[in-house]
Amino acid sequence: SAALRRAASGSKQAVRGVVRITCSEVIGGEVLPAMLADLRRQQPGIVIELSLSDAAEDMLRKDADIAVRMLRPSQGALVARRVGAIGIGLYAHRRYLKAHGTPQAMADLHGHALIGFDRETPALRAMRGRVPGSEVYAREHFALRTDSPLAQLAALRAGYGIGACQRALARRERQLVPVLPEAFALDLDTWLVMHEDQRANRGVRLVYDHLFAALAAYAAEGA
């Protein structure tokens, strides 16, 4: 019923209506706000509902109109466009590195306060498996464990230790310094998804096209 109300609200000639977006905590909390502010200046009649979760909402059931995902959906009823690859690296605050030194190899991470996840999922294990020597960056070695990417980012900014961060995001933070950029580098393919039934909804389409262009520029920034 919520999906029907959103569709009906976008059916008038004027570009008005409600568009629901689902994405991860970091994308929704750190990346999308500026993009959505630009959209608001252009399309003040569109109301945004932003659902932040690292669990994928059911797009086939239309729990959301648009999704930002790090995996390409396999369902045929969904329209998915690859935004680009969002780069991930290790970073630390200048204050932390001044006090504790900068590691020169992955093995040197043993002597540092590492920030990372609490529960290791198969996806995280697969991701780490793509980086030689990354077994040191594992739960048992973390000095701070949290499954909230926003909390991990806050700890980085506070100078707690060394942790993973999106490169484009870290480059906007003058106090965050890359650590072992040649040894630890990951690229996550990013997709913008909507249900094929939403193609005719002008409001959803405007938001989709705006986010695609903005996210593609963001991904290129961290290449």
Side-chain angles (χ1 to χ4, degrees):
S1 62
L4 287 172
R5 286 196 297 273
R6 293 197 302 272
S9 70
S11 62
K12 300 178 177 60
Q13 185 173 3
V15 186
R16 298 183 178 277
V18 179
V19 178
R20 185 174 180 85
I21 303 168
T22 180
C23 56
S24 69
E25 282 190 2
V26 169
I27 293 294
E30 295 285 339
V31 179
L32 289 193
M35 300 176 183
L36 294 175
D38 287 341
L39 176 69
R40 176 69 182 177
R41 286 187 283 271
Q42 300 170 31
Q43 303 291 345
I46 295 178
V47 175
I48 299 295
E49 293 179 353
L50 191 58
S51 173
L52 274 58
S53 174
D54 288 326
E57 293 197 31
D58 191 339
M59 297 295 291
L60 289 179
R61 203 174 62 182
K62 299 183 182 178
D63 289 346
D65 300 309
I66 297 172
V68 184
R69 290 187 174 172
M70 301 305 175
L71 291 173
R72 183 176 187 174
S74 57
Q75 300 94 329
L78 300 181
V79 177
R81 293 180 68 189
R82 183 180 179 273
V83 167
I86 291 182
I88 307 289
L90 291 179
Y91 289 85
H93 195 283
R94 294 182 187 277
R95 181 173 59 250
Y96 174 86
L97 295 177
K98 183 177 180 180
H100 301 279
T102 301
Q104 301 302 309
M106 291 296 290
D108 296 341
L109 293 176
H110 276 301
H112 287 271
L114 301 181
I115 301 164
F117 46 83
D118 185 29
R119 291 171 292 182
E120 185 173 22
T121 65
L124 285 170
R125 283 195 296 272
M127 189 186 307
R128 282 197 301 110
R130 291 155 50 190
V131 180
S134 64
E135 59 273 4
V136 66
Y137 190 71
R139 185 185 186 279
E140 60 267 25
H141 303 305
F142 293 155
L144 189 153
R145 302 167 183 164
T146 174
D147 290 327
S148 168
L150 288 180
Q152 292 181 23
L153 181 57
L156 273 179
R157 287 170 169 158
Y160 190 98
I162 298 171
C165 183
Q166 294 181 14
R167 288 197 293 266
L169 191 58
R171 286 173 182 172
R172 300 176 182 181
E173 304 271 347
R174 296 182 60 186
Q175 296 304 313
L176 292 185
V177 177
V179 174
L180 302 172
E182 301 300 324
F184 190 103
L186 290 168
D187 291 311
L188 298 180
D189 275 352
T190 305
W191 300 81
L192 197 63
V193 185
M194 70 175 175
H195 197 285
E196 62 181 6
D197 290 350
Q198 298 288 20
R199 291 176 191 257
N201 186 310
R202 190 178 175 201
V204 172
R205 190 72 205 206
L206 279 170
V207 176
Y208 186 91
D209 290 344
H210 176 85
L211 288 183
F212 180 83
L215 285 167
Y218 173 78
E221 186 180 337

